[in-house]
Amino acid sequence: MVIDAWHTQVKQTDDLFNSLSDDQLFGEIAPGKNRGIYLLGHLTAVHDRMLPLLGFGDQRYPTLYKIFLESADKTVVDIPSAEDLRNYWKETNNLLSEHFSKLSATEWFERHNAVSETEFAKEPHRNKLNLVINRTNHLANHLGQLLLLKNKQ
Amino acid sequence: MVIDAWHTQVKQTDDLFNSLSDDQLFGEIAPGKNRGIYLLGHLTAVHDRMLPLLGFGDQRYPTLYKIFLESADKTVVDIPSAEDLRNYWKETNNLLSEHFSKLSATEWFERHNAVSETEFAKEPHRNKLNLVINRTNHLANHLGQLLLLKNKQ
């Protein structure tokens, strides 16, 4: 159910990105707020970082982290193109989806890599499944904002 | 973990509503989009409807449903006051929280009332826990939008 909810939010966001032109993507979700392109990079960076956190291997696009997580929108001039970001977004989610399908029920309840073994002994809910729950809500937060880009030039 | 995620999103939204003045609440999240007050009513109506869906009793504020779910923002002139809506919001979430704490693990995996017994036999994931997962994401969608009301008069 948790993984279904993840896939539902990813699909809705993916459909939305596909329906938006590059021009729309460079618009702000509200005056003075983040642009769609920044949120595309931000979500890709956060999902890319889920790979090492869930033990699925290294980040594929570590440079995105500095631009779209550590820096605010419009403070970094040199960002990847919309085309590249759209591709990174898809590749990252496809890769996660592949790894998700291979994980056993037991493995979902093992600790993720942002928590130490000592912490995990005390807080066993900080497992891989819980990380996906949190990231689903993070995605849902931004999806709600990105929907504001529709019907807006 | 699912219920924790629900409580986290409710708390974040509640903190946000508490931090917003009535004036801010009557502002639009983006030009031409929903007002904060509409989303407060909308979320309360959706959460209120969770009571019968989860078998916790009748809706407490059934009139909200027509105003904040079946009607678009700014199409109904006569809506409850901000003060009343703020109270309904809190009462509804407190009531849900009380019922959540009493539900056993087995009961969480029983069907919710938006699904028939026949459907549930085929789709056993349509249980009470899954309804909470979906409503958490619904809340997260709108929380992301409501955050845009901050630092805006």
Side-chain angles (χ1 to χ4, degrees):
Chain A
M1 297 188 293
V2 165
I3 306 306
D4 278 355
W6 163 266
H7 284 306
T8 301
Q9 294 294 313
V10 167
K11 183 171 181 337
Q12 283 179 18
T13 312
D14 196 46
D15 288 348
L16 178 64
F17 281 135
N18 291 339
S19 77
L20 295 172
S21 67
D22 286 358
D23 275 0
Q24 286 177 307
L25 208 54
F26 276 93
E28 294 171 335
I29 50 169
K33 305 287 180 175
N34 290 328
R35 292 171 302 165
I37 189 82
Y38 178 82
L39 289 177
L40 171 58
H42 175 74
L43 289 171
T44 308
V46 168
H47 291 190
D48 187 44
R49 201 175 166 82
M50 288 170 71
L51 293 168
L53 290 179
L54 294 171
F56 298 156
D58 291 335
Q59 279 172 261
R60 301 272 292 262
Y61 309 108
T63 52
L64 299 185
Y65 201 80
K66 198 172 176 63
I67 307 175
F68 295 108
L69 238 130
E70 293 178 347
S71 315
D73 189 20
K74 294 159 232 162
T75 61
V76 180
V77 179
D78 197 16
I79 66 168
S81 70
E83 193 188 342
D84 282 347
L85 285 175
R86 286 177 189 272
N87 288 333
Y88 301 162
W89 159 255
K90 279 181 198 296
E91 283 168 24
T92 304
N93 292 319
N94 287 342
L95 193 58
L96 283 171
S97 177
E98 236 175 78
H99 283 288
F100 283 2
S101 67
K102 289 183 201 149
L103 227 55
S104 70
T106 320
E107 284 169 317
W108 277 114
F109 289 93
E110 288 169 1
R111 83 179 162 91
H112 61 68
N113 294 324
V115 60
S116 73
E117 287 192 33
T118 325
E119 286 169 327
F120 188 62
K122 282 181 255 170
E123 301 173 292
H125 66 280
R126 298 178 70 181
N127 53 44
K128 290 177 181 177
L129 197 62
N130 202 34
L131 190 120
V132 175
I133 293 175
N134 293 336
R135 293 305 182 275
T136 304
N137 288 325
H138 173 260
L139 173 57
N141 279 167
H142 289 305
L143 171 57
Q145 299 176 331
L146 286 162
L147 284 167
L148 302 173
L149 291 172
K150 291 214 76 164
N151 312 319
K152 210 170 134 179
Q153 189 48 332
Chain B
M1 297 187 294
V2 165
I3 306 305
D4 278 355
W6 163 267
H7 285 306
T8 301
Q9 293 294 314
V10 167
K11 185 173 182 336
Q12 281 179 19
T13 312
D14 196 46
D15 288 348
L16 178 62
F17 281 135
N18 291 338
S19 77
L20 295 173
S21 67
D22 285 358
D23 275 358
Q24 285 176 308
L25 208 54
F26 276 91
E28 294 172 337
I29 50 170
K33 305 286 180 179
N34 289 329
R35 291 172 302 166
I37 189 81
Y38 178 83
L39 290 177
L40 171 57
H42 174 75
L43 290 170
T44 308
V46 168
H47 292 191
D48 186 42
R49 202 175 166 81
M50 290 170 70
L51 293 168
L53 290 178
L54 294 171
F56 297 156
D58 290 336
Q59 279 171 263
R60 301 272 292 261
Y61 308 108
T63 53
L64 300 184
Y65 201 79
K66 198 172 177 62
I67 307 177
F68 296 108
L69 238 130
E70 294 179 346
S71 316
D73 190 20
K74 295 160 231 161
T75 61
V76 180
V77 179
D78 196 17
I79 66 168
S81 70
E83 192 188 343
D84 281 347
L85 285 175
R86 287 177 188 273
N87 287 334
Y88 302 162
W89 158 255
K90 280 182 197 295
E91 283 168 25
T92 304
N93 292 318
N94 288 343
L95 193 57
L96 282 171
S97 177
E98 235 175 78
H99 282 289
F100 284 2
S101 67
K102 289 182 201 150
L103 227 55
S104 69
T106 319
E107 285 169 316
W108 278 116
F109 288 93
E110 289 170 1
R111 83 181 162 91
H112 59 70
N113 293 326
V115 61
S116 72
E117 286 192 33
T118 325
E119 286 168 329
F120 188 62
K122 285 181 253 171
E123 302 173 292
H125 66 280
R126 298 177 71 181
N127 53 44
K128 291 177 180 175
L129 197 62
N130 201 34
L131 190 121
V132 174
I133 294 175
N134 293 337
R135 292 305 181 276
T136 304
N137 289 325
H138 172 261
L139 173 58
N141 280 166
H142 290 304
L143 171 57
Q145 299 175 334
L146 286 162
L147 284 166
L148 302 172
L149 291 172
K150 291 215 76 162
N151 314 318
K152 214 170 131 179
Q153 191 53 327

